[in-house]
Amino acid sequence: MLDIRWKAGLFVCALSVIGLFLWLITSATTALIVFSLGLLIYLISHIYWLHKLNSWFQAPEIKGIPEGSGMWEDVFTTLLQYERNNKLNQTQLNSALEQFSLVTRAMPDGLVILSASNEIEWCTPNAESQLGLNLITDKNLPVVNLIRDSNFISYLYNEIYSEPFKLRSWRNPDIVLEIQLLPFANKQKLLISRDMTQHEKVDVMRRDFIANVSHELRTPLTVVGGFLETLNDMEGAVPDNLKSYFAMMEEQTIRMRRIIEDLLTLSTIESNTENPEDSEIDMPSLLKSVQNDAIGLSQTLHKTKHNIHLDVDRRLNISGASDELRSVFTNLVSNAIRYTPAGDKSTGKKGEVFISWALRNGEAVFSVRDTGIGIEQKHIDRLTERFYRVDRSRSRETGGTGLGLSIVKHILIRHQAKLEITSELGVGSTFSAVFPKARIVIKKASA
Ligand code: ADP
């Protein structure tokens, strides 16, 4: 088939040849008239097909594409092919969209697409019902105008989305949602909401059960412990050959009481959804007293003392619940003492514990480094699980309950802080509590 340019050129050439021929056999005037008439007809035909094309654009139906003639036949054939492909792509796109819509409807989770400036671009029906949104009226509105929970707003703006966030529905507080934000593409965010109501109910039942059992056990244990102590103290009440058994019974009772106390502490912290108290904590004096307690513990456990160093940025305070945070620091420091041999007689080297409190990249970091037994890498992620212990007997011997780091983790979560652990087997460990900028209070230098 001839190329469209050839077709146009061929007509003009043929017309020129006819014109020349007429010039030769008749006159120049006749040739010019015929040539001009030919060009006029050619022009009129182009105008006609242009008009047809323009009319088609007014109502672009695939059936209405004219057939055309000459070079216009090619133009309309190409247009027909283009329209057919277009139609096919459109059908494929529609079916993909239909599939996508069916999949998102079938998903139990809700999905919301947020723009770079946190406006709602799109959401699924599940997200509408879970979060009380309406895509028609709420499209392009800032999400914070619609989800007004202050914790959600700080989660959104803090831009730390590694952990999901728990949101209690403001319309029905019995509904608990887990919200996860995932940044994608051009600073947009995907918000995934998951209904955790059932899961939360089971969790509450578990927590209540543990709290109730612990409460129920606390009183009888106190009574047993009290009687054992009295019997041990009473002259001649315990025969000499049974004294060691009584001592063991007393020791185990004390251990059980410690476990119960820790279980109660953990369930109180876990079930407390209120924000922690927000008073400024005098960190230098708190850490000094933590250091003193550590010296006492080192003396009791190991008879010889560790070297316990304290390095504190005296201008740096934080806001939070003082009792809870004291328990975090004490737990971490006491672990360092318990899992660090006090000294090596052969080398004369003492066990070292370094406590530090300083600013690091805009965050406040409490850190405890020891030169103790260290922890194998494979255990590190599991240390904050309840009752997870690398060496059960060592934990027991040093008065451990296996709950210390779980308590630490939950208190830190309540303070939007995180626990970092690095360790090398046989070399030592570093446990750091990292507090966000929002909790930092810098003391003014006194005049
Ligand atoms: P425990 O009461 O058993 O110490 P924790 O929850 O405080 O329970 O700690 C969990 C486990 O983590 C401990 O049993 C121990 O194996 C390990 N661990 C904690 N701190 C240290 C440390 N500083 N050095 C080595 N191991 C540690």
Side-chain angles (χ1 to χ4, degrees):
M1 216 166 99
L2 279 179
D3 182 87
I4 196 164
R5 287 163 301 180
W6 279 107
K7 278 188 181 170
L10 206 65
F11 181 83
V12 178
C13 286
L15 201 60
S16 310
V17 170
I18 292 168
L20 277 175
F21 182 68
L22 286 175
W23 193 2
L24 286 178
I25 59 165
T26 59
S27 65
T29 319
T30 317
L32 198 64
I33 289 171
V34 171
F35 185 73
S36 308
L37 271 175
L39 274 184
L40 188 66
I41 291 166
Y42 189 53
L43 190 67
I44 288 171
S45 92
H46 279 311
I47 291 171
Y48 172 76
W49 289 119
L50 267 176
H51 166 73
K52 280 277 188 193
L53 183 63
N54 187 42
S55 315
W56 180 81
F57 274 127
Q58 309 301 321
E61 275 291 319
I62 201 159
K63 286 181 292 196
I65 295 179
E67 285 189 0
S69 68
M71 60 182 279
W72 283 95
E73 193 182 338
D74 291 0
V75 172
F76 289 125
T77 309
T78 312
L79 185 62
L80 187 68
Q81 270 166 7
Y82 173 79
E83 275 299 295
R84 276 194 186 136
N85 285 343
N86 216 4
K87 193 113 188 153
L88 191 69
N89 289 343
Q90 189 86 34
T91 318
Q92 281 170 348
L93 191 68
N94 283 347
S95 103
L97 276 176
E98 180 78 5
Q99 289 278 357
F100 178 69
S101 157
L102 287 175
V103 169
T104 51
R105 267 166 208 274
M107 268 174 69
D109 296 352
L111 300 177
V112 184
I113 293 182
L114 301 178
S115 67
S117 45
N118 298 320
E119 280 129 10
I120 295 172
E121 289 187 342
W122 175 85
C123 70
T124 59
N126 266 347
E128 288 186 306
S129 64
Q130 286 175 356
L131 299 163
L133 304 175
N134 181 337
L135 188 57
I136 299 167
T137 52
D138 299 339
K139 198 170 172 170
N140 296 328
L141 289 184
V143 69
V144 289
N145 286 8
L146 302 152
I147 306 176
R148 288 162 179 265
D149 184 279
S150 59
N151 291 327
F152 170 75
I153 296 173
S154 27
Y155 176 66
L156 178 70
Y157 291 134
N158 279 345
E159 297 192 354
I160 304 167
Y161 307 134
S162 47
E163 291 286 323
F165 154 80
K166 230 179 235 179
L167 178 74
R168 216 162 259 279
S169 167
W170 57 103
R171 290 182 307 168
N172 180 356
D174 287 340
I175 294 178
V176 180
L177 300 173
E178 190 178 81
I179 305 284
Q180 173 83 63
L181 282 167
L182 301 171
F184 73 100
N186 209 1
K187 290 194 174 165
Q188 284 166 290
K189 292 175 202 85
L190 181 64
L191 184 156
I192 304 171
S193 63
R194 180 168 298 166
D195 191 340
M196 299 295 281
T197 313
Q198 210 47 39
H199 187 276
E200 182 71 8
K201 272 189 190 149
V202 175
D203 217 37
V204 169
M205 271 164 60
R206 177 188 59 80
R207 281 202 301 261
D208 286 353
F209 175 75
I210 293 174
N212 289 338
V213 169
S214 310
H215 262 299
E216 293 299 323
L217 288 177
R218 187 150 69 165
T219 319
L221 261 179
T222 312
V223 175
V224 172
F227 279 126
L228 280 172
E229 206 181 326
T230 318
L231 282 172
N232 268 340
D233 291 348
M234 266 167 69
E235 196 66 34
V238 181
D240 282 350
N241 59 340
L242 294 183
K243 270 204 168 130
S244 62
Y245 297 128
F246 267 75
M248 267 157 67
M249 280 157 75
E250 201 180 351
E251 197 184 301
Q252 290 306 318
T253 319
I254 292 170
R255 205 170 91 74
M256 276 172 79
R257 269 159 71 180
R258 252 201 313 258
I259 294 176
I260 283 170
E261 290 308 326
D262 273 3
L263 276 173
L264 280 170
T265 310
L266 193 57
S267 73
T268 313
I269 295 163
E270 270 190 306
S271 51
N272 189 353
T273 49
E274 301 280 300
N275 285 336
E277 181 197 329
D278 240 352
S279 49
E280 181 178 343
I281 301 169
D282 183 355
M283 287 299 284
S285 73
L286 176 67
L287 294 182
K288 185 74 206 158
S289 106
V290 169
Q291 185 194 27
N292 287 337
D293 291 352
I295 294 168
L297 180 70
S298 165
Q299 180 79 39
T300 324
L301 283 180
H302 301 272
K303 307 291 181 262
T304 45
K305 283 187 203 156
H306 296 81
N307 282 332
I308 303 173
H309 312 264
L310 179 64
D311 179 13
V312 172
D313 180 341
R314 303 199 69 78
R315 290 179 318 129
L316 183 59
N317 278 346
I318 43 166
S319 63
S322 156
D323 288 351
E324 291 183 21
L325 292 175
R326 187 192 170 91
S327 139
V328 167
F329 305 142
T330 311
N331 257 305
L332 296 179
V333 175
S334 75
N335 276 355
I337 305 274
R338 289 167 47 227
Y339 297 105
T340 303
D344 185 340
K345 278 196 188 120
S346 58
T347 59
K349 262 190 170 178
K350 275 193 152 197
E352 308 281 341
V353 174
F354 300 86
I355 307 169
S356 74
W357 172 240
L359 273 177
R360 187 188 73 190
N361 303 330
E363 294 174 315
V365 183
F366 168 83
S367 197
V368 188
R369 180 164 70 81
D370 63 53
T371 54
I373 57 172
I375 308 157
E376 254 185 282
Q377 207 56 33
K378 65 177 183 192
H379 297 293
I380 288 187
D381 285 345
R382 302 197 56 192
L383 292 181
T384 54
E385 286 174 22
R386 266 158 257 224
F387 297 115
Y388 190 87
R389 285 168 281 195
V390 178
D391 179 349
R392 248 163 216 280
S393 55
R394 189 175 185 119
S395 161
R396 279 205 194 114
E397 274 163 28
T398 54
T401 60
L403 293 168
L405 290 182
S406 305
I407 295 174
V408 166
K409 179 179 131 182
H410 280 95
I411 296 178
L412 290 183
I413 290 175
R414 272 167 59 67
H415 287 79
Q416 298 82 42
K418 53 182 188 278
L419 180 66
E420 289 177 358
I421 308 171
T422 53
S423 188
E424 200 179 324
L425 198 61
V427 177
S429 316
T430 305
F431 284 74
S432 305
V434 183
F435 294 87
K437 202 172 165 190
R439 295 222 160 255
I440 296 176
V441 184
I442 302 286
K443 272 193 285 185
K444 289 191 185 80
S446 47

